[in-house]
Every structure is written in C-alpha cells, then in structure tokens.
Amino acid sequence: MRVDHREEHPATPMGWLDGGMSLQLTFAPALSRPDLLAAPVAAALRDLPEVEVAEIDPALADTAAFCERYGVSPAESANCVVIAARRGGETSYAACMVAATTRADVNGLVRRHLDARKASFAPVEAVTAATGMEYGGITPVGLPEGWPVLVDEAVAKTASVVIGSGIRGSKLRLPGRLLAALPAARVLPGLGVPQNGVGVPPGT
C-alpha cells in the first residue's frame, strides 16, 4: 500500500489506479469527520490524533471486496474478529486483530489464552448490540470495557494498517503500534495463521 506520511494532511488522497478499476481513498484526521465514525469509536479516538479515516462505498466494506476495489494490499489490512469464549456456563468476548492474509487461531492460541473450554466466532447480533457498531465495520477501537484485544505480532509491527471504523461506510488508517497500545490490548505472536480455506467471517 502506498502511504503518504506528510505532516500536513487535512485530506490525504490515496488512489491506486489500474486501468480505471480501482477507486480512490481520501484520508483525513479521524476526529475531523465524526460522521464517518461509530459513536463509541469517536469517543475512543479523542486521545489518538494519529488515526485517519476515509469514506468508502458501504457495499465494499468486506475486506476482500475493499482490498480489490481500492487497491489496498491485504497484508496492510487487518480484520477484527470477535470471539465468544465459554467456560463453566459463562460467556465472555474478546477481539482478535489479524492481517487479512491470515485467519485467527481461534481453537488453539485464542482458546488457550482466554482459558476457555470452547471458543468460536461470536454471533453477529450479539456483537453489534454490545458494541454499537455495524457488522462489516467492527473495530478494536471503542469496544466495551473488559473485552480483551488480542493483536497479532505482525499487525502490531505494521507501519500503516487499515481497519474498520465502526460503520460500513469508512475505514481507519493507523500505525500498528497504536493497536498494540490500546488499554485492553495484548500482542500475541502466532495469532494469525496462514489461510487454509477457512477464513474469518467476511463482515468483521
């Protein structure tokens, strides 16, 4: 992904033109466009001025479609997968941040880290109701207090990564280190494993 790191960026246009097939992204400081943020995301971004936002076609929010049409490398796009962890009749939730080229190791590393008897993708209705975010735009920024955010080491080391904004109509861009620095974040090497035909849900 071609990233413009200019200090002055009231709006940073980013276009990947391949014969007219790619659409253009224009990034601006996230807090300058609260209309492009879910309410809990906007609140959480007050202390993160480095984060930028770009408007996109909501129909292209799913990662594969977004990367293809906007020319963003899947390696620099991360998915937020919400996991339901069950143990002793209790259910808790956690978010996993993995590169779009990988899938979260839910039944291995995630389940063990959360000390759960069973771990699986959380139901869409439960996630959207609890987070105040839209399916297809779920992001680790602004999640409910007490939800762990597990960040793959590769994502944490990415200089610039594109993630959800809480709504389907935009994307955030930020350094991976900011994800690792979120209050509930924990960096886990090996969290993202190579795709083997079973990927993360398309709308996360």
Side-chain angles (χ1 to χ4, degrees), residues 26-142:
T26 300
F27 281 94
L31 291 179
S32 73
R33 294 296 308 272
D35 57 310
L36 296 180
L37 307 171
V41 177
L45 285 176
R46 290 170 185 161
D47 298 323
L48 297 173
E50 294 178 68
V51 181
E52 298 175 307
V53 67
E55 187 170 8
I56 67 167
D57 182 344
L60 300 175
D62 293 349
T63 303
F66 167 75
C67 288
E68 180 180 358
R69 291 300 302 278
Y70 287 93
V72 177
S73 165
E76 295 193 75
S77 179
N79 289 318
C80 181
V81 186
V82 177
I83 303 301
R86 301 174 180 85
R87 182 179 178 86
E90 298 292 329
T91 300
S92 60
Y93 297 96
C96 298
M97 290 303 302
V98 295
T101 54
T102 67
R103 61 181 178 85
D105 185 10
V106 176
N107 292 312
L109 183 59
V110 174
R111 183 183 60 80
R112 293 192 301 271
H113 179 79
L114 298 175
D115 193 25
R117 179 183 58 82
K118 182 179 180 181
S120 59
F121 297 124
V124 174
E125 297 80 5
V127 174
T128 54
T131 63
M133 302 179 193
E134 296 177 359
Y135 184 63
I138 304 297
T139 185
V141 180

Side-chain angles (χ1 to χ4, degrees), residues 1-2 4 6 11-18 20-28 33 36 53-58 60 65-72 169-171 173:
M1 187 170 67
R2 299 171 188 170
D4 187 340
R6 290 177 300 172
T12 304
M14 297 178 65
W16 296 265
L17 303 178
D18 52 359
M21 294 301 292
S22 292
L23 301 178
Q24 185 180 62
L25 291 173
T26 300
F27 281 94
R33 294 296 308 272
L36 296 180
V53 67
E55 187 170 8
I56 67 167
D57 182 344
L60 300 175
F66 167 75
C67 288
E68 180 180 358
R69 291 300 302 278
Y70 287 93
V72 177
S170 64
K171 294 287 186 181
R173 182 178 70 178

